[in-house]
Amino acid sequence: MPDPARLVLGIETSCDDTSVAVLERGTTLRAHLIAAQDVHRLYGGVVPELASRAHLELLPKLASEALAEAGVAAADLTGIAVTRAPGLVGSLVVGVAFARAYGLALGIPVVGVNHIEAHLHAATLERGASPFPALALVVSGGHTELVEVEGVGDYRWLGSTRDDAAGEAFDKVAKLLGLGFPGGPAIERLAREGRRDAFDFPRPMLGQPGYDFSFSGLKTAVAMALAAHGAPPFPGRLAADIAASFQAAAVDTLVAKTVRALDARAARALTLGGGVACNRELRERLAAECERRGVAFRVPSPRLCADNAAMIALLGAWILARGEPSDPDLDVVASLEESGLGVQHAP
């Protein structure tokens, strides 16, 4: 009987980036393509309808290019993994419909993957299997999740954001500064020119017990600091100091909560994922904290931090290797809470 996990096509369309990958035997990444949708820069954020249309146009081309880069034919594929939750419904529908049609044409199984779960394990592609128990911090435009990972499929949620996600706060502050979209890279570049102590921005919820996050108040504090200066463009020194002080507050908050969990949960490893995981200050601060505690720090390369098809193919390969059949419905789900991931909240 052929191994359904031998050669898996991964498809990721949860938000605005279209990504396709080919993964061999759950370990060898034969191809990995990510197409950014630059049209959203014109609007300062993701426009769901435009994202869906772009996925529809890009997916067939990317799938063909990924197969060519991998040096395989479509008929060589043994399974398909596609993001089914959480995300923008229209974007998810496009990816799932394409995957189902492709799988039906080839007569191979198609499995749905939760892309937040995929972030918990994305570092495995480059760093091998994680020691358990582990913690995972997923920080992106839509999510800030601190998760205890006992093994594949065994998760306990320690904390989440109560309002804006960390990446969303970066995007909104960048918009206030007139820096464009996406905001994270622009804030990080500008912050290098500013002073992190120029503004005393709040570190939300650090004085409260537990591991939940909140970034809405931090964003409001930035808006108030800029209110007296009119509209962008702002003087270079002011903008740089705002960017540096905001980034310092956001990173301090993320690090403090994560370190609190590391000390309380006796984790052997920390995995960092999501688009904000590309932030150098966040990576360096968490790496230093892990080194002090003898904890393995596992962070993927930048292409595997953002939403990507490589991690979807990896989770799909694990699902297929367990012998789970194709899901005939493959319903898409927008929210993490309703995605069926089996979220358990730790005491």
Side-chain angles (χ1 to χ4, degrees):
M1 184 176 180
D3 177 8
R6 182 179 62 81
L7 199 63
V8 176
L9 181 73
I11 297 171
E12 209 308 296
T13 62
S14 64
C15 191
D16 59 321
D17 287 343
T18 312
S19 182
V20 178
V22 178
L23 184 67
E24 183 176 9
R25 301 191 185 281
T27 57
T28 304
L29 197 57
R30 298 281 294 269
H32 185 209
L33 303 177
I34 303 174
Q37 299 179 8
D38 291 336
V39 65
H40 303 287
R41 296 177 186 268
L42 299 175
Y43 302 94
V46 177
V47 181
E49 183 176 351
L50 295 180
S52 300
R53 291 180 180 180
H55 289 311
L56 194 61
E57 179 182 348
L58 288 167
L59 262 180
K61 301 174 185 177
L62 282 186
S64 296
E65 290 182 19
L67 291 173
E69 183 177 303
V72 301
D76 297 323
L77 296 172
T78 58
I80 298 175
V82 59
T83 302
R84 60 168 289 272
L88 300 176
V89 170
S91 294
L92 293 170
V93 165
V94 172
V96 167
F98 181 86
R100 291 181 65 184
Y102 214 65
L104 184 63
L106 296 173
I108 58 177
V110 180
V111 294
V113 172
N114 186 302
H115 89 270
I116 297 300
E117 181 179 14
H119 278 303
L120 305 181
H121 301 285
T124 299
L125 285 163
E126 296 171 323
R127 298 182 174 273
S130 172
F132 298 119
L135 289 183
L137 176 66
V138 178
V139 273
S140 66
H143 295 273
T144 305
E145 314 288 344
L146 188 56
V147 186
E148 187 172 32
V149 183
E150 292 285 353
V152 179
D154 188 357
Y155 316 118
R156 274 161 296 285
W157 253 247
L158 301 179
S160 300
T161 183
R162 295 188 179 181
D163 39 60
D164 292 352
E168 184 181 359
F170 271 88
D171 288 339
K172 288 181 176 178
V173 169
K175 189 172 184 178
L176 288 171
L177 290 170
L179 300 179
F181 177 85
I187 290 283
E188 184 175 10
R189 284 193 298 270
L190 188 57
R192 297 186 192 121
E193 305 171 13
R195 294 188 299 115
R196 66 192 321 272
D197 61 348
F199 291 86
D200 186 20
F201 290 138
R203 274 65 173 165
M205 299 186 68
L206 287 193
Q208 298 182 28
Y211 309 104
D212 281 345
F213 301 91
S214 170
F215 294 99
S216 179
L218 173 56
K219 174 204 66 181
T220 300
V222 173
M224 292 177 64
L226 288 171
H229 300 277
F234 298 106
R237 172 54 60 187
L238 172 66
D241 284 348
I242 288 280
S245 299
F246 161 76
Q247 179 176 266
V251 170
D252 283 352
T253 302
L254 290 167
V255 171
K257 291 279 186 172
T258 303
V259 166
R260 184 184 297 177
L262 281 174
D263 291 340
R265 311 303 290 196
R268 298 174 59 200
L270 171 65
T271 296
L272 184 61
V276 182
C278 295
N279 183 279
R280 180 180 297 179
E281 182 176 345
L282 178 62
R283 294 160 77 104
E284 291 177 350
R285 292 272 304 279
L286 287 175
E289 295 290 352
C290 285
E291 184 176 6
R292 274 195 283 272
R293 290 163 174 78
V295 171
F297 182 56
R298 296 165 53 81
V299 58
S301 58
R303 281 176 64 81
L304 295 181
C305 285
D307 296 338
N308 67 88
M311 67 181 187
I312 302 303
L314 175 66
L315 265 289
W318 291 349
I319 293 170
L320 290 164
R322 294 197 297 262
E324 296 185 23
S326 290
D327 184 342
D329 298 320
L330 259 182
D331 294 332
V332 304
V333 181
S335 74
L336 175 62
E337 291 75 17
E338 298 175 3
S339 66
L341 185 56
V343 175
Q344 303 176 41
H345 291 275

